[in-house]
Amino acid sequence: MLLELDGLRVGLDRLAGHGADALRADLELVLSAILTKLSRRTSDTSEHELPRRIAAGYPARLFVRKAEELARRLADVAAPLSASPPALVEEGDARALRGVAPDSVHLAVTSPPYPGVYDYLAHHEARLRWLRLRSASFEQDEIGARRHLDPLGPEAGRARWREELGGVLVALARVLRSGAPLVLLLADSVVAGAPVYAVDVVKAAASGARFAVRAVASQPRPHFHRPTARAFQRRPRHEHAILLIRA
C-alpha cells in the first residue's frame, strides 16, 4: 500500500506542461481524500485504530474512482461558478485576517473549533506528510486545541479559549462594516473535564470586541465521550447558532 501511495505521489510530482499546477492541486485533493480510508484510523476525527486488510491495487483504483468523481462534480458546477462572482481564498490566522480590508465585509458566518474537542493537527498528520505541507504554523496557531487547553486545567483552559475567541472577534470587528451581522456556530464543550458553555464564553468575549449578542438558537446535543459525560449532568449540552451585530 505504501508503495502504491508513493507511486501516486511521484506521479503527481512528474506532471508537467500547461495547466500542470492546477491539475496537481486537484489530484492532491483526491490523494488527501483517500488517505484516512487507507489508514488504520476509523475516521478523521477518531484516534481509534483498527486492523485493515487492503488488497493490492486497491489504493490506485480508489484514487482513480475518486478522481473521476471529482471530475464529474466539477463539471456539474462549472456553469454556475463561471456565472458567479469570483471567490477569494486566503490562508492565515483568524485572529489577524491579513489581506481583508477594514469595513469591507457585509456578513461573516463561521464555526470556530469547539474548545477541547479535537486536535486538528493530529487528525491531518498523514495529509500534511503526503502533501508536503509545513505544520509549524498549524502547531502554533491552532485555536481551541485540546493539547493546548486541557493541561492548563478547567479555569485557565477556559480563560485561554476565551482569549483565543476574543482575538477572532476583534479581528472580525475590524473587517466587518458597522451594523454587519456575524453568525457563530458553536457547541458546549469540555476542557480538562469541566463544561464550557459556548454562549457564556461568547457573551464575555463579545463585550470587549465591539459586538452585541442579538439572538441565540440552540438545540440539545448528546455528549458521546463517556469519561466526560458527567460534565453535563446538571446542565445539558447544546449546539448554538449565535447572532452578533457589530456595534
Side-chain angles (χ1 to χ4, degrees):
M1 184 189 70
L2 289 174
L3 286 173
E4 288 189 57
L5 285 174
D6 191 53
L8 291 171
R9 178 67 266 179
V10 170
L12 296 181
D13 291 339
R14 290 179 177 174
L15 289 173
H18 179 69
D21 290 343
L23 177 59
R24 184 180 300 107
D26 285 345
L27 293 179
E28 284 182 334
L29 181 63
V30 176
L31 180 62
S32 173
I34 69 173
L35 288 173
T36 299
K37 295 178 176 62
L38 300 176
S39 75
R40 293 190 179 94
R41 297 185 72 140
T42 55
S43 70
D44 275 331
T45 56
S46 173
E47 298 175 357
H48 298 293
E49 294 187 354
L50 292 174
R52 295 188 191 228
R53 293 176 60 89
I54 297 176
Y58 176 75
R61 293 194 299 272
L62 180 62
F63 181 86
V64 170
R65 188 167 77 243
K66 289 295 184 181
E68 292 173 341
E69 180 182 335
L70 177 61
R72 291 193 300 270
R73 297 294 180 265
L74 290 175
D76 290 341
V77 300
L81 285 180
S82 64
S84 302
L88 174 64
V89 178
E90 295 278 0
E91 177 186 349
D93 192 331
R95 293 163 293 188
L97 295 179
R98 294 183 180 90
V100 184
D103 301 314
S104 64
V105 177
H106 294 259
L107 167 68
V109 180
T110 182
S111 179
Y114 299 172
V117 176
Y118 294 134
D119 281 319
Y120 288 102
L121 179 68
H123 293 170
H124 294 295
E125 181 182 6
R127 291 187 176 95
L128 292 168
R129 185 167 60 249
W130 283 98
L131 300 180
R132 301 192 183 124
L133 299 174
R134 296 181 178 180
S135 61
S137 60
F138 198 164
E139 163 67 31
Q140 179 179 343
D141 296 334
E142 182 182 355
I143 67 174
R146 185 165 50 199
R147 68 182 182 280
H148 292 159
L149 303 183
D150 276 7
L152 299 175
E155 294 300 325
R158 278 197 296 263
R160 172 163 176 163
W161 165 241
R162 186 169 59 249
E163 180 181 349
E164 291 175 343
L165 181 62
V168 175
L169 295 181
V170 168
L172 285 167
R174 177 183 64 83
V175 302
L176 279 165
R177 303 182 68 166
S178 179
L182 163 64
V183 179
L184 298 176
L185 180 65
L186 275 171
D188 302 329
S189 306
V190 173
V191 170
V196 178
Y197 293 99
V199 175
D200 297 345
V201 176
V202 169
K203 287 180 177 178
S207 62
R210 293 189 295 165
F211 280 104
V213 176
R214 290 292 180 85
V216 178
S218 305
Q219 286 187 336
R221 289 287 188 269
H223 187 67
F224 295 106
H225 187 240
R226 288 184 180 179
T228 57
R230 63 182 179 276
F232 294 104
Q233 287 180 346
R234 299 180 64 181
R235 182 178 168 188
R237 178 177 185 263
H238 288 76
E239 192 164 31
H240 316 274
I242 307 169
L243 171 65
L244 302 95
I245 301 295
R246 186 199 149 184

